[in-house]
Amino acid sequence: MIKILFVCHGNICRSPMAEFILKDMVAKRGLADQFHIESAAVSNEEIGNGIYPQARAELRRHNIGTSKETDYGMEAKTARRIRRSDYSEFDYLIAMEEIHLRSMRREFSGDPAHKLYRLLDFTKHPGDIDDPWYTRRFDVSYQEIEEGCEALLLELEKK
């Protein structure tokens, strides 16, 4: 099983969008049982809060749900912060921006197993995904995240 953790600042916009976009992609390919996908934040600011309404609305425009399966059934996704144990539990820890990589390196005392990436680094135009909280361009974030997730899946298929 491939375990992927997407990371952004607050875990209410970009990283949950990436989580649910990739979950949708692998489900449509019949690969859901081969992946464990989550998302988290580098900050404490939004812990316990749900997905930002405009991010959820953008996912719904693409027929992507935002509930997560738990031992008790389906529940709404809420923000959580990264934990030191995430480094050993996940195969890929994928940030939306360079600043998140720096925060993760501090949290995990580096990246000795080379598990830290930016999502767009898997594409032909590496870089940061702007925070739609500030840009208000949830459609642009969706497109960039979708492109990054497709490129990530292609990379994983090669391995």
Side-chain angles (χ1 to χ4, degrees):
M1 177 165 294
I2 300 169
K3 296 180 180 180
I4 299 170
L5 182 68
F6 290 107
V7 179
C8 71
H9 180 75
N11 193 216
I12 61 168
C13 294
R14 293 169 291 175
S15 61
M17 287 175 75
E19 173 184 348
F20 291 106
I21 288 169
L22 188 59
K23 283 180 176 178
D24 184 66
M25 287 177 174
V26 298
K28 286 177 177 170
R29 289 170 167 85
L31 303 172
D33 61 337
Q34 296 176 34
F35 286 85
H36 176 84
I37 304 162
E38 291 185 34
S39 62
V42 293
S43 78
N44 292 319
E45 293 173 30
E46 300 289 346
I47 303 308
N49 290 335
I51 298 173
Y52 193 66
Q54 285 89 336
R56 187 173 40 252
E58 187 62 35
L59 289 169
R60 285 190 181 142
R61 273 192 276 289
H62 298 274
N63 297 311
I64 298 175
T66 58
S67 294
K68 63 179 183 167
E69 191 172 345
T70 69
D71 293 337
Y72 308 104
M74 297 303 282
E75 294 180 3
K77 163 73 179 161
T78 55
R80 77 162 178 92
R81 191 178 186 291
I82 56 172
R83 302 178 290 257
R84 286 188 69 77
S85 62
D86 286 334
Y87 193 82
S88 61
E89 292 174 14
F90 288 89
D91 303 307
Y92 295 87
L93 297 103
I94 302 175
M96 301 296 122
E97 293 183 58
E98 182 66 35
I99 194 167
H100 306 141
L101 287 177
R102 288 195 300 267
S103 295
M104 288 192 293
R105 285 185 193 107
R106 276 193 307 275
E107 181 73 26
F108 304 136
S109 300
D111 182 21
H114 308 289
K115 297 181 175 189
L116 304 182
Y117 302 89
R118 280 185 310 180
L119 183 57
L120 289 182
D121 288 347
F122 294 98
T123 70
K124 291 183 171 134
H125 35 66
D128 293 342
I129 296 173
D130 291 334
D131 191 341
W133 173 271
Y134 299 105
T135 67
R136 311 315 291 168
R137 298 296 314 269
F138 289 88
D139 57 334
V140 171
S141 294
Y142 179 93
Q143 292 166 0
E144 291 177 340
I145 293 167
E146 181 182 49
E147 180 182 357
C149 287
E150 285 287 355
L152 171 61
L153 283 177
L154 287 173
E155 182 68 27
L156 293 173
E157 286 174 359
K158 293 177 188 174
K159 293 183 176 182

